[in-house]
Amino acid sequence: MHLSSFVSTSPENTKRAGFLLGDRIFKKPEWGKYIFLFGDLGTGKTLFAKGFFEGLGGKETAKSPSFTYFQEYTIPGGKGIHGDLFRLKDAPKNQDTVLEELQEHLSRGNILLLEWADLLSSQPSSLLSENYVSIYFERRKKKNERKISTQFINH
């Protein structure tokens, strides 16, 4: 396990951090294909996700899935999956359906970035025996500052 942190001072820096991780994940698949994002509303998770999918070489602009929990994007060499579980807060009865869909995405071996992973009753990391990355977003005192901590889990 490796943990590193930095402070992003602007939305552009947060998006750039996502881009750089996406680029690295694409070039170093041994780092893991699964990225779990944690943090309060408005801390930069979706902005980071947009940069991440650009870094993977995606041609579409990533956005939080509106009517589904998962959105699929074409990336060089396969698919990238963007999950956003925020709506589980208001619909906890959907847990089983979301877990089934998550397991299906994991079984396909696509790159998966999951926002609000902490809202699942069963943590996605418990479903994995592969390397993955957890990223924690935290507001700082200044308006646009965010502490972003990255934890690489090696199995």
Side-chain angles (χ1 to χ4, degrees):
M1 174 172 39
H2 174 74
L3 181 66
S4 62
S5 305
F6 69 96
V7 174
S8 171
T9 57
S10 70
E12 295 79 17
N13 286 347
T14 300
K15 185 176 179 184
R16 179 79 177 144
F19 179 90
L20 292 172
L21 181 64
D23 184 56
R24 290 289 183 195
I25 292 288
F26 188 72
K27 292 176 182 170
K28 293 185 170 280
E30 67 273 12
W31 281 12
K33 297 181 285 188
Y34 310 114
I35 295 83
F36 304 119
L37 306 184
F38 302 89
D40 291 335
L41 190 63
T43 54
K45 295 180 301 298
T46 300
L47 195 56
F48 183 92
K50 288 179 183 189
F52 179 80
F53 285 104
E54 287 177 15
L56 288 175
K59 301 297 179 207
E60 305 164 80
T61 299
K63 56 185 177 246
S64 288
S66 298
F67 300 104
T68 62
Y69 290 100
F70 298 93
Q71 179 70 42
E72 193 172 283
Y73 297 102
T74 301
I75 59 172
K79 298 286 181 190
I81 309 299
H82 180 196
D84 186 333
L85 305 183
F86 180 73
R87 292 184 307 117
L88 271 180
K89 278 184 162 185
D90 298 326
K93 65 184 183 298
N94 292 343
Q95 283 278 339
D96 292 340
T97 304
V98 169
L99 272 172
E100 285 176 24
E101 193 172 348
L102 175 61
Q103 287 177 317
E104 184 179 322
H105 287 303
L106 293 173
S107 71
R108 291 184 189 161
N110 295 319
I111 292 176
L112 170 74
L113 180 139
L114 187 63
E115 295 185 53
W116 295 95
D118 52 320
L119 294 180
L120 285 174
S121 57
S122 173
Q123 290 302 305
S125 57
S126 67
L127 306 171
L128 295 171
S129 60
E130 299 180 41
N131 296 343
Y132 64 91
V133 181
S134 290
I135 303 174
Y136 303 89
F137 295 78
E138 181 184 328
R139 276 189 186 84
R140 303 285 289 202
K141 289 182 181 181
K142 292 185 182 176
K143 181 182 176 186
N144 287 320
E145 282 189 352
R146 303 291 187 260
K147 179 180 178 184
I148 303 174
S149 301
T150 308
Q151 184 177 29
F152 294 89
I153 308 298
N154 299 311
H155 285 279

